[in-house]
Amino acid sequence: MALYNAHPGKPLIRITRNTAIITVLLLFALATIFPIYFMIISSFGEPVAAGAMDYRLFPSSFSLESYKFFFEFSPYTWRWLLNSLIVATTVMVTNVLFASMAGYAFSKIKFKGRVLIFSIMLVAMMIPYQVTQVPLYILIVNIFHIENTYTALILPGLVTVYNIFLAKQFMSSIPNEILECAKIEGCNQFQIYFRIILPLSKTVLAVMAILTFMDNWNTFFWPLLVTNSMDMQTIQVGLKSFKFANTTLFAPMMAGATISALPMFILFFSLQKYFLEGVTVGAVKG
């Protein structure tokens, strides 16, 4: 809103400034939305090879054949969607639960080595994702022998350092006086966590849930590494089946991508209120 505060100078300067700001914001918005728009528009094309596709900004015809082709292309199409749903939902729930518990411990419970452990975790957060994939793959495949299972897909993402950091920073802002009152009333640590901390942390938990679900739903590299049969692939890995050596079934692939994006849209808009509150709180606290 500060962008539109009354300019102390001439009205012409104010109008020029606001017009420039709106133009830049519209360009950024269009650049952000265009890939989604193109994906949806392309999904309504005929299920032909990419070379025969008619690429247009506005559809010349409207057909649902590519959606039908997508579901009939492989007997595992529904299984890919189910696998993604199981993995993303499980990881989202475990992250919200475990990260909030760890965040509560680091922010409100004093124990020996708390600062050291948290510092080590922050250092671990700085290690690039690609660096950890090789040792993680060796652990899962060569030592635990659990490749091509839900465990292999879920276990590495049970809880992330980033979510622990997010929960710890938010819960540090909850006044200690509330917790002291609860202790005087006879609450133990678990009662304080479930009855006080969790209800007061809905905002950050919603943000955590959205970001974690989106990250795990869209992930491609790890499921590709640890699955070796089509029935255990996720939807993101399954979509590569529409790409062949010489061509790509572009419209069915876009239809699959559109369908795979629906759960994220539903989750985001169902938790949009809490997500925007979280962004606002973070902005106010600086």
Side-chain angles (χ1 to χ4, degrees):
M1 295 300 294
L3 295 173
Y4 299 96
N5 284 345
H7 194 278
K10 297 178 180 179
L12 180 61
I13 297 176
R14 183 180 69 248
I15 294 172
T16 305
R17 180 201 61 177
N18 289 347
T19 303
I21 291 172
I22 292 172
T23 303
V24 172
L25 291 178
L26 283 176
L27 289 176
F28 275 111
L30 287 174
T32 304
I33 294 174
F34 181 76
I36 300 174
Y37 168 79
F38 187 70
M39 175 186 72
I40 296 173
I41 291 300
S42 301
S43 70
F44 293 123
E46 296 292 336
V48 294
M53 280 286 296
D54 184 17
Y55 299 99
R56 293 173 180 269
L57 289 180
F58 302 100
S60 56
S61 61
F62 182 87
S63 171
L64 296 177
E65 286 299 314
S66 292
Y67 286 88
K68 182 181 177 183
F69 186 92
F70 169 75
F71 285 109
E72 294 177 349
F73 176 75
S74 168
Y76 301 107
T77 302
W78 287 103
R79 183 64 185 266
W80 295 338
L81 290 167
L82 178 63
N83 290 342
S84 286
L85 189 64
I86 291 173
V87 173
T89 304
T90 305
V91 173
M92 178 188 70
V93 172
T94 57
N95 268 272
V96 169
L97 180 63
F98 297 147
S100 62
M101 294 175 73
Y104 170 60
F106 281 118
S107 62
K108 298 299 180 186
I109 300 176
K110 294 181 179 178
F111 56 91
K112 193 175 182 180
R114 181 180 65 165
V115 177
L116 177 63
I117 295 173
F118 190 69
S119 300
I120 293 173
M121 292 178 62
L122 290 182
V123 172
M125 195 168 65
M126 300 173 190
I127 299 174
Y129 171 78
Q130 292 79 4
V131 175
T132 62
Q133 295 307 290
V134 173
L136 199 56
Y137 177 81
I138 294 173
L139 279 174
I140 295 294
V141 176
N142 296 343
I143 297 179
F144 297 145
H145 302 290
I146 54 174
E147 69 274 18
N148 209 38
T149 62
Y150 286 120
T151 306
L153 292 168
I154 293 171
L155 191 62
L158 275 182
V159 61
T160 65
V161 178
Y162 175 76
N163 283 334
I164 294 174
F165 174 76
L166 196 66
K168 189 261 183 187
Q169 293 303 105
F170 184 88
M171 292 174 184
S172 296
S173 65
I174 297 176
N176 291 326
E177 290 76 8
I178 297 176
L179 309 187
E180 295 299 328
C181 291
K183 289 177 183 176
I184 293 173
E185 293 294 330
C187 292
N188 56 35
Q189 294 291 357
F190 282 102
Q191 289 173 324
I192 293 173
Y193 167 74
F194 282 108
R195 295 182 180 181
I196 298 176
I197 295 296
L198 285 186
L200 292 176
S201 305
K202 285 181 182 176
T203 302
V204 71
L205 296 182
V207 173
M208 198 184 300
I210 292 173
L211 296 180
T212 304
F213 186 89
M214 290 175 63
D215 183 46
N216 284 274
W217 183 272
N218 287 325
T219 188
F220 173 80
F221 187 60
W222 181 249
L224 179 66
L225 278 180
V226 296
T227 56
N228 50 33
S229 64
M230 295 190 72
D231 63 314
M232 284 306 299
Q233 290 178 349
T234 59
I235 182 62
Q236 306 301 340
V237 179
L239 286 177
K240 74 176 177 56
S241 303
F242 292 87
K243 182 175 178 58
F244 304 96
N246 299 321
T247 188
T248 301
L249 296 172
F250 189 71
M253 182 185 285
M254 291 298 105
T258 303
I259 292 171
S260 71
L262 290 178
M264 291 186 293
F265 291 149
I266 294 172
L267 179 67
F268 177 78
F269 288 111
S270 62
L271 298 176
Q272 183 185 20
K273 174 185 173 185
Y274 298 109
F275 185 81
L276 294 179
E277 283 180 2
V279 173
T280 305
V281 169
V284 171
K285 289 179 179 177

